[in-house]
Amino acid sequence: MATDKELTDFLKSVEKRAFKRTVYAVRDEDGALDIVQDAMIRLADRYADRPAAELPLLFQRILSNATTDWFRRQKVRGAVMQNLSDFEGSDEGEDFDLLESLVSVEGALGAESAADTVARQQVLLLIEEEVQKLPGRQREAFLLRYWEELDVAETATAMGCSEGSVKTHCSRAVHALAKSLKARGISS
């Protein structure tokens, strides 16, 4: 059984990544915040008695289900999805963004020039735009595997599909991203 501190520490450790992943999926910051909060509450209410080691996969599954539920509610309500074109917040005190914290070529943050920083940020924005364009299941598999760093089995469990489907979705996502980024002048 996870202690209250273990549960709290786990939720703190995943909240920002879960929010960013959900924003990618639903393209609505308010909806994403609701989904993540709902998933966290469900985990705390229903699965607090589980061992701490089970929390990551349980949370990913709950988050995926909550996202699917959100889409169903939106469809029933006839709401129009909003396209989020800019993931950069306008607030200077915005929370941590994983993609913006990538280590520079020199191996340390802050070791690059202002021009390099701007160029890197522009490339990251292009990558985010291309990730947004991926079909939903490919985007979900890609983010779980390469952002959340889940293995194939964990990703399959979180997505509710087979490991073969995860591999297919990831492969297609990687190939589509490589092709679209190369067309935009970005190569590895």
Side-chain angles (χ1 to χ4, degrees):
M1 179 173 156
T3 66
D4 287 343
K5 179 168 178 21
E6 288 173 325
L7 180 61
T8 301
D9 289 345
F10 169 74
L11 291 174
K12 283 180 183 177
S13 73
V14 298
E15 69 181 332
K16 292 173 185 154
R17 287 191 329 247
F19 175 73
K20 187 75 168 191
R21 173 185 155 208
T22 307
V23 168
Y24 271 119
V26 301
R27 299 177 180 153
D28 176 14
E29 288 185 354
D30 293 331
L33 184 60
D34 290 342
I35 292 166
V36 172
Q37 288 175 343
D38 185 46
M40 288 180 162
I41 290 169
R42 286 183 195 174
L43 181 72
D45 284 347
R46 299 179 187 164
Y47 300 101
D49 61 339
R50 296 290 183 97
E54 291 182 18
L55 295 179
L57 281 178
L58 284 169
F59 180 71
Q60 293 302 330
R61 185 65 180 167
I62 292 168
L63 186 61
S64 291
N65 287 342
T67 303
T68 301
D69 292 344
W70 184 87
F71 277 114
R72 287 181 184 140
R73 284 192 302 273
Q74 296 305 310
K75 187 175 182 181
V76 169
R77 293 179 189 149
V80 177
M81 293 279 294
Q82 294 179 351
N83 184 14
L84 263 138
S85 61
D86 185 10
F87 284 96
E88 296 291 320
S90 58
D91 299 337
E92 290 180 15
E94 185 175 340
D95 289 336
F96 173 77
D97 184 346
L98 182 63
L99 289 178
E100 290 179 355
S101 71
L102 290 176
V103 176
S104 69
V105 176
E106 292 82 13
L109 289 173
E112 60 190 357
S113 70
D116 290 340
T117 300
V118 169
R120 182 176 50 83
Q121 288 173 342
Q122 289 173 343
V123 168
L124 290 174
L125 286 174
L126 290 175
I127 292 170
E128 285 182 344
E129 288 174 16
E130 294 304 323
V131 168
Q132 287 181 72
K133 294 177 185 176
L134 290 172
R137 294 294 277 179
Q138 288 181 21
R139 184 175 51 245
E140 182 180 14
F142 179 82
L143 292 172
L144 286 171
R145 286 282 291 127
Y146 302 111
W147 186 324
E148 297 293 335
E149 298 179 354
L150 299 181
D151 64 26
V152 173
E154 293 169 331
T155 302
T157 300
M159 291 179 64
C161 64
S162 70
E163 291 182 22
S165 292
V166 168
K167 292 175 184 178
T168 299
H169 290 310
C170 284
S171 176
R172 289 178 180 166
V174 168
H175 285 95
L177 285 172
K179 182 179 178 181
S180 61
L181 291 172
K182 186 175 182 179
R184 293 182 83 169
I186 301 171
S187 60
S188 56

